[in-house]
Amino acid sequence: MIDKLKRLEKKIGHTFVNDDLLKRAITHRSAGSRHNERLEFLGDAVLDAVVADIVYKHFQNKREGFLTNTRSKIVQRETMNRVAVELGLDKMVVYSAKLSSHNNHMYGNALEALIGAIYLDQGYEVCYNFIQNVLIKKYVNLETIARKEVNFKSSLIEWSQKNKLEISFDLIESFTD
């Protein structure tokens, strides 16, 4: 286990002062009482703040809506899971054998927990540098992700308005909780 942790530290460019934080960051709730959920909570918040700052500085002439959408695309579960797998976290996460390793959030959650662990281990600036220099620069192309379309309904409405075509949506079923 220690060799795996050292390889991960080398890959992420961060050596932990407190190894327990790293162990906790990669431990899923199913594997014991010292798991990563609290670190995930913290890492999610730090990630949001850092990515907002990076996007704000990178896209200097863009409006708030564009910045919000771009930040959302970076921190969304799909992106976090992909980056986690590319970092090799899928081979590092400790979880119960009873739990499917195909849990669609486990690796992204572990990445957020890792961010929280780095933040607690050495502070905001070191964590900021990790997110910027490892996650963003190596695994997320800001220009490409900014152009990625995720709100197809809005795009269709904008297209129809631009082309002076009427478009309508019919409600087929409605449910209330």
Side-chain angles (χ1 to χ4, degrees), residues 1 3 6 19 24 43-44 83 92 117 137 150 162 175:
M1 177 70 152
D3 286 344
K6 293 299 174 198
D19 287 340
R24 217 173 336 144
D44 179 55
V83 171
M92 301 289 298
K137 286 187 178 172
V150 292
K162 182 177 150 188
F175 298 96

Side-chain angles (χ1 to χ4, degrees), residues 84-127:
V85 169
E86 290 182 30
L87 276 172
L89 285 178
D90 57 321
K91 294 170 180 56
M92 301 289 298
V93 174
V94 178
Y95 59 92
S96 167
K98 297 175 188 172
L99 184 71
S100 168
S101 66
H102 299 293
N103 175 326
N104 58 351
H105 302 304
M106 186 185 331
Y107 306 130
N109 292 348
L111 178 55
E112 289 176 350
L114 180 64
I115 291 166
I118 292 170
Y119 172 77
L120 289 177
D121 192 57
Q122 292 186 25
Y124 184 81
E125 190 173 324
V126 169
C127 192

Side-chain angles (χ1 to χ4, degrees), residues 143-155:
E143 299 298 329
T144 302
I145 208 158
R147 288 190 307 267
K148 179 182 173 191
E149 187 55 60
V150 292
N151 189 341
F152 300 107
K153 183 178 176 183
S154 290
S155 294

Side-chain angles (χ1 to χ4, degrees), residues 25-177:
I26 62 168
T27 303
H28 186 265
R29 175 178 31 140
S30 66
S33 61
R34 296 192 46 80
H35 55 78
N36 65 7
E37 281 186 343
R38 288 175 51 83
L39 289 173
E40 176 193 338
F41 163 79
L42 183 60
D44 179 55
V46 172
L47 178 66
D48 261 349
V50 171
V51 169
D53 185 65
I54 291 168
V55 167
Y56 181 85
K57 289 173 180 172
H58 185 82
F59 297 104
Q60 293 184 6
N61 297 318
K62 296 293 186 177
R63 293 183 170 191
E64 183 269 341
F66 173 89
L67 299 174
T68 298
N69 286 337
T70 302
R71 183 195 65 217
S72 294
K73 290 178 221 176
I74 294 169
V75 301
Q76 73 179 341
R77 187 62 44 217
E78 178 186 317
T79 304
M80 290 295 99
N81 283 335
R82 178 185 57 78
V83 171
V85 169
E86 290 182 30
L87 276 172
L89 285 178
D90 57 321
K91 294 170 180 56
M92 301 289 298
V93 174
V94 178
Y95 59 92
S96 167
K98 297 175 188 172
L99 184 71
S100 168
S101 66
H102 299 293
N103 175 326
N104 58 351
H105 302 304
M106 186 185 331
Y107 306 130
N109 292 348
L111 178 55
E112 289 176 350
L114 180 64
I115 291 166
I118 292 170
Y119 172 77
L120 289 177
D121 192 57
Q122 292 186 25
Y124 184 81
E125 190 173 324
V126 169
C127 192
Y128 186 105
N129 289 332
F130 166 73
I131 293 168
Q132 182 174 42
N133 297 324
V134 177
L135 300 188
I136 302 294
K137 286 187 178 172
K138 290 184 180 177
Y139 300 104
V140 176
N141 182 312
L142 291 176
E143 299 298 329
T144 302
I145 208 158
R147 288 190 307 267
K148 179 182 173 191
E149 187 55 60
V150 292
N151 189 341
F152 300 107
K153 183 178 176 183
S154 290
S155 294
L156 183 59
I157 291 169
E158 287 174 24
W159 176 84
S160 69
Q161 290 170 346
K162 182 177 150 188
N163 291 288
K164 297 182 181 13
L165 295 171
E166 187 176 327
I167 189 166
S168 66
F169 298 92
D170 296 326
L171 180 63
I172 297 171
E173 277 187 72
S174 178
F175 298 96
T176 54
D177 288 338

